[in-house]
Amino acid sequence: ELVARKFDFSDWRTCQPGRPRIRDEIVELTIQLARENPNWGYRRIRDVLAELGYPICASTVANILKQRGFEPAPERQSTGAWRTFLKAHWDTLAAIDFATVEVWTPGGLVTFYLLFVIELKSRRVHFAGCTPQPNEPWVKLAGRELTNWQDGFLLGKTHLIMDRDTKFTRAFRDELAAEGVRPVLTAPRTPNMNAHLERFFRSLKSECLSRLIFFGENSLRRAVKHYLEHYHRERPHQGLEGCLIVPPDKPPDMRQPIRRQERLGGLLKSYRRAA
């Protein structure tokens, strides 16, 4: 309730209605035309839609396609679909994004930004740090640690998917590129283009962050540490056909009794055969 009250801006709203929403049938038809005709530009699609009884402007066509990850006609024809890109670079792909959580501090509720990176093929997740002020120096420092030539999480990676958040500054992207990691920006307002990390955030929040009250940064870091241990070593993953990211050193002995292991006071539970 306190977090909801902090972000309640209902008193600031005006009574004036916004622009009408684009009808779903227009959106679906626009996407169909763009997918089936990769060499058609925005104006060509606009003209065809007008002939079919849907008079909209070229900028509306552009907004529809950009929001769903379609590049303009020349790039769309040469780069292919997003799925094709993922398949071509699957072994060397990673993704990065911020999650937020409210933390009690002596000054009241403070929003902390948590930076995570995921390796798409293995689903391994790395916690790059948290801060209430994710400014450019902090993000650049995180980038240096991720690309460290000895043990950086991005070693061997060639592409890093990220959204267009202003916290991922030009200097941060240039530093990644200098280390051989090419930043790949998703289209505006398309979280499905970073679906693997978004799915991790959903699990992180529903299983951990949204079920705890944090008093200070140390309690937040402790919870994230325990959750990542659970996520990697104890939690089966549907994307890996029910397997663990980090399997046990030895196969389970079916003669041993089943033990329950708890983390964070029983919030996270897992079950294994006793050693």
Side-chain angles (χ1 to χ4, degrees), residues 23-123:
R23 290 154 54 188
D24 290 340
E25 57 189 283
I26 298 178
V27 173
E28 293 175 2
L29 183 56
T30 302
I31 295 172
Q32 178 184 348
L33 293 175
R35 184 179 291 116
E36 296 177 355
N37 305 277
N39 60 331
W40 284 11
Y42 300 143
R43 291 182 176 84
R44 176 71 179 276
I45 296 175
R46 174 203 62 187
D47 295 340
V48 173
L49 288 172
E51 292 179 2
L52 297 174
Y54 300 114
I56 60 175
C57 60
S59 60
T60 301
V61 174
N63 290 334
I64 292 173
L65 297 181
K66 288 177 181 178
Q67 290 172 10
R68 285 153 183 82
F70 286 86
E71 298 289 343
E75 290 81 3
R76 193 189 325 143
Q77 189 174 11
S78 60
T79 59
W82 182 251
R83 183 180 300 177
T84 303
F85 166 77
L86 294 179
K87 184 176 181 181
H89 302 281
W90 189 242
D91 293 336
T92 57
L93 270 180
I96 189 170
D97 203 356
F98 282 95
T100 59
V101 65
E102 297 298 316
V103 178
W104 274 107
T105 68
L109 276 176
V110 175
T111 302
F112 270 70
Y113 295 82
L114 294 77
L115 184 61
F116 290 94
V117 188
I118 186 172
E119 185 182 70
L120 267 58
K121 183 178 181 180
S122 69
R123 303 298 200 276

Side-chain angles (χ1 to χ4, degrees), residues 103-104 212-224 264:
V103 178
W104 274 107
L212 294 171
I213 298 176
F214 301 105
F215 296 92
E217 181 178 344
N218 289 337
S219 66
L220 173 61
R221 288 182 175 273
R222 174 178 172 271
V224 172
L264 299 177

Side-chain angles (χ1 to χ4, degrees), residues 154-261:
L154 293 179
L155 284 180
K157 301 296 179 291
T158 59
H159 295 78
L160 181 63
I161 300 172
M162 64 183 68
D163 59 24
R164 297 173 184 266
D165 193 329
T166 55
K167 292 185 283 293
F168 298 129
T169 61
R170 169 66 68 178
F172 170 73
R173 300 198 300 270
D174 290 344
E175 188 158 331
L176 291 176
E179 297 296 330
V181 181
R182 177 186 172 189
V184 180
L185 300 181
T186 63
R189 296 186 293 277
T190 52
N192 57 312
M193 295 183 72
N194 199 356
H196 297 84
L197 197 49
E198 291 291 339
R199 183 61 183 86
F200 167 76
F201 286 161
R202 176 182 168 186
S203 299
L204 173 67
K205 292 178 180 180
S206 64
E207 298 175 12
C208 181
L209 298 185
S210 297
R211 303 176 67 182
L212 294 171
I213 298 176
F214 301 105
F215 296 92
E217 181 178 344
N218 289 337
S219 66
L220 173 61
R221 288 182 175 273
R222 174 178 172 271
V224 172
K225 176 183 176 182
H226 278 284
Y227 182 79
L228 289 181
E229 285 288 329
H230 172 76
Y231 177 85
H232 287 114
R233 300 180 180 274
E234 302 163 359
R235 184 184 187 277
H237 295 272
Q238 295 181 5
L240 301 177
E241 299 182 353
C243 297
L244 303 177
I245 295 177
V246 182
D249 296 333
K250 298 180 180 179
D253 186 350
M254 303 305 293
R255 298 170 297 177
Q256 299 297 327
I258 297 175
R259 305 287 188 187
R260 183 180 69 189
Q261 181 176 348

